[in-house]
Structure formats: C-alpha cells, structure tokens
C-alpha cells in the first residue's frame, strides 16, 4: 500500500531494466509478468534501460544488440522505440559520449521528458490507483480544516502517512483483488474449499496473475502488503464491489495485516451469500 499511495494517481514513467546479455526465457517471463500486471497500456509510459553497456564489444550500439533478438526487438517497439544503455564501469566523461554516464543519464532524462510530452502530461493509472487518490484527497481535506496554513506538500505527506488511511486502503486493495478474482465463475467453487487460512490466502493471491488478475503478496515482518495493479475490463465492476466490501470490513482492523484478513473474509462471505 505504501507503493500504491506514493505513486497515486499513477506514475508518468516505467523503467524496464535489463542487463546486456542473452535475452533468455527468464527475462521474457519477467516481461510477460509486467504485461500481466499492468497490461500493454503501461508500455506507452515505458523506457527499456540496459545495464552493463561495457559488454557491448566492437563498437556495437544497444540498438544493434536489440535487433538481434525478436522478443527484445518487439518489446522495444511496443515501448515506442525508447531504449537506453548504461555502462557500469565508465563513470567519468569519455572521449566517446555514447560510453559516458554523464551523457547516458542526460539522454535518458530527455527521453522521459519527450515521452511525457507525447502523452500530453498524462500518466498510467487504473481503478485501484484512482480510488486511492480519491481517498488521499479526502484525508487532505480533513487535515486542511485543522491546519489551514500548512503547505500543500506537507498536507499530502501527512495524508498518505496516516495509519488509519493505510489500513482502509489495504482493505480496499485486498477486496478489489478478491472481488475481481471471485468474479471469474470458473474459479468460485474451488476457491471456497482452498482459502481457509491466511497462509492459503497468500498462496492464492500469488496465482491470481495466471487468471488475468494483478496481485503480488509480499510477506515479511508479520505483515502482508497487497499490491494491486489492475483488473481486466470485464471484471472491473466485481473488483470495485469487492474493494467496497473490503474497505468497510477493514474499519474494525488495527493493522494493515488485520485489514487484509478481514477484507478477504468479508468478500468471500459476501460471494457465498450472492451465489
């Protein structure tokens, strides 16, 4: 939820970072996951960035390297041809600007600026990010009422750092994910019998991308961060409904982890009652 609140209502640019090396099935799997998580629309806001540019021998450019692999070439094309390389050894200005980090950084930033202009200053967004942005603005309004002279930037930071806000948004994100997932009829019956404990919930969430949903469950320190990136257009209404149910259930939670569990239980019970 920290990740989502920091980039709400959406990021202007994605950097897809790869190493100058063989583009194997592993790298292709990473790209496939990105497309599952964000859809190809995200590539309108993406730049492919390669590291270890010093491994390009014989004066080869990154464009020549990319052209040798069809999958890699297709990816760069989907990103509007935006492709850059960084040398890991040549940190000082070189005689050849192409191998200079100073030049490489400036070149990348110029590409990002041009991309933002091409997108008319727009940013990638989705239902979850939009919902979080609306909630942030509500928090901002409450803070303004008691602190009229506080700078807007400080107000926004306080709104995003509010524990109650994070708990509510965790409930919403968990509910949205499960609501969309349970909206896929073929999955409903098997879900009832497998999702009985928190551990099973985490395991299930990890597999949601395989059925077209976007989720990542990161476990650590006794808490779970549910990061929701989007839903297929056909199940977006179910995701929003689940988000509402999850957010309401999370009102009784004291922690984000508790909010996730309460939201999951509420959405599952609600689905049982309506099917």
């Amino acid at each position: 939820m920290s990740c989502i609140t920091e980039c709400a209502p959406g990021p202007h640019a994605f950097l897809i970072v790869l190493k100058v090396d063989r583009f194997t099935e592993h790298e292709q799997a990473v790209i496939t996951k990105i497309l599952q998580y964000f859809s190809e629309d995200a590539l309108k806001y993406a730049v492919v960035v390669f590291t270890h540019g010093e491994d390009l021998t014989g004066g080869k450019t990154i464009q020549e390297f990319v052209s040798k692999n069809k999958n890699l070439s297709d990816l760069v094309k989907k990103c509007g041809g935006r492709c850059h390389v960084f040398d890991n050894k040549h940190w000082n200005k070189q005689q050849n600007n192409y191998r200079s980090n100073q030049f490489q950084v400036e070149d990348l930033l110029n590409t990002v600026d041009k991309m933002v202009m091409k997108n008319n200053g727009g940013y990638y967004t989705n239902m979850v990010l939009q919902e979080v942005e609306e909630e942030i603005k509500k928090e901002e309004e409450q803070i303004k009422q008691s602190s009229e002279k506080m700078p807007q930037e400080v107000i926004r930071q306080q709104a995003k750092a509010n524990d109650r806000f994070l708990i509510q948004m965790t409930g919403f994100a968990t509910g949205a994910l499960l609501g969309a997932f349970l909206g896929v009829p073929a999955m409903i019956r098997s879900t009832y019998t497998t999702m009985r404990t928190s551990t099973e919930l985490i395991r299930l969430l990890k597999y949601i991308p395989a059925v077209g949903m976007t989720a990542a469950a990161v476990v650590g320190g006794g808490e779970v961060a549910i990061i929701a990136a989007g839903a297929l257009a056909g199940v977006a209404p179910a995701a929003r409904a689940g988000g509402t149910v999850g957010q309401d259930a999370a009102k009784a939670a004291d922690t984000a982890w508790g909010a996730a569990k309460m939201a999951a239980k509420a959405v599952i019970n609600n689905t049982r009652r309506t099917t």
Side-chain angles (χ1 to χ4, degrees):
M1 283 313 304
S2 177
C3 172
I4 293 174
T5 55
E6 285 303 317
C7 71
H12 287 84
F14 292 92
L15 300 184
I16 301 176
V17 182
L18 300 170
K19 181 181 177 181
V20 170
D21 202 347
R22 294 184 304 115
F23 192 75
T24 65
E25 292 181 1
H26 174 74
E27 282 76 25
Q28 182 58 48
V30 173
I31 302 304
T32 300
K33 285 185 178 181
I34 291 174
L35 299 182
Q36 285 179 332
Y37 291 169
F38 299 102
S39 81
E40 285 201 8
D41 283 346
L43 299 185
K44 298 176 183 177
Y45 307 87
V47 181
V48 181
V49 179
F50 287 91
T51 63
H52 292 80
E54 67 275 7
D55 291 343
L56 292 172
T57 58
K60 183 186 295 184
T61 66
I62 194 62
Q63 286 76 17
E64 291 171 328
F65 170 79
V66 168
S67 68
K68 300 296 182 181
N69 184 288
K70 185 180 185 306
N71 288 335
L72 201 51
S73 180
D74 288 345
L75 171 64
V76 172
K77 286 179 182 177
K78 290 178 180 179
C79 293
R82 294 179 291 272
C83 176
H84 288 269
V85 64
F86 281 83
D87 282 45
N88 288 52
K89 293 181 179 179
H90 303 152
W91 291 101
N92 298 318
K93 192 170 182 63
Q94 306 291 309
Q95 290 183 348
N96 179 357
N97 272 345
Y98 184 76
R99 306 303 296 269
S100 161
N101 282 142
Q102 181 178 342
F103 172 82
Q104 291 164 345
V105 170
E106 292 175 357
D107 203 26
L108 172 61
L109 294 178
N110 285 335
T111 292
V112 172
D113 285 342
K114 291 177 182 178
M115 180 178 66
V116 172
M117 291 178 63
K118 182 178 179 180
N119 292 327
N120 297 316
Y123 47 81
Y124 172 85
T125 191
N126 55 41
M127 185 200 71
V128 173
L129 287 166
Q130 291 168 2
E131 191 78 21
V132 169
E133 178 65 16
E134 291 178 12
E135 294 299 323
I136 291 175
K137 289 189 177 301
K138 291 178 183 178
E139 288 286 328
E140 289 177 345
E141 287 303 317
Q142 292 184 8
I143 295 173
K144 284 179 181 178
Q145 292 177 8
S146 58
S147 307
E148 295 181 359
K149 295 183 179 180
M150 188 180 295
Q152 177 59 34
E153 183 178 347
V154 176
I155 290 176
R156 186 170 181 86
Q157 288 302 320
Q158 285 195 7
K160 292 189 294 184
N162 184 286
D163 288 341
R164 176 51 48 184
F165 167 76
L166 290 175
I167 287 171
Q168 290 296 299
M169 287 298 92
T170 299
F172 171 79
T174 304
L177 288 169
L178 288 177
F181 178 68
L182 295 173
V184 182
M187 300 296 172
I188 293 177
R189 288 191 296 276
S190 63
T191 302
Y192 289 160
T193 58
T194 59
M195 192 163 17
R196 294 178 181 173
T197 69
S198 299
T199 302
E200 289 172 350
L201 166 62
I202 295 167
R203 187 182 303 118
L204 176 61
L205 287 175
K206 289 180 180 178
Y207 285 101
I208 289 179
V211 293
M213 284 307 305
T214 300
V218 182
V219 186
E223 295 184 348
V224 170
I226 307 296
I227 303 175
L232 294 177
V235 293
R240 183 171 291 280
T244 300
V245 172
Q247 189 171 3
D248 288 341
K251 291 178 180 178
D254 294 323
T255 65
W257 174 221
K261 291 191 289 186
M262 289 180 178
K265 183 177 180 180
V267 172
I268 293 168
N269 289 339
N270 185 72
T271 305
R272 285 173 174 167
R273 289 195 300 269
T274 56
T275 56

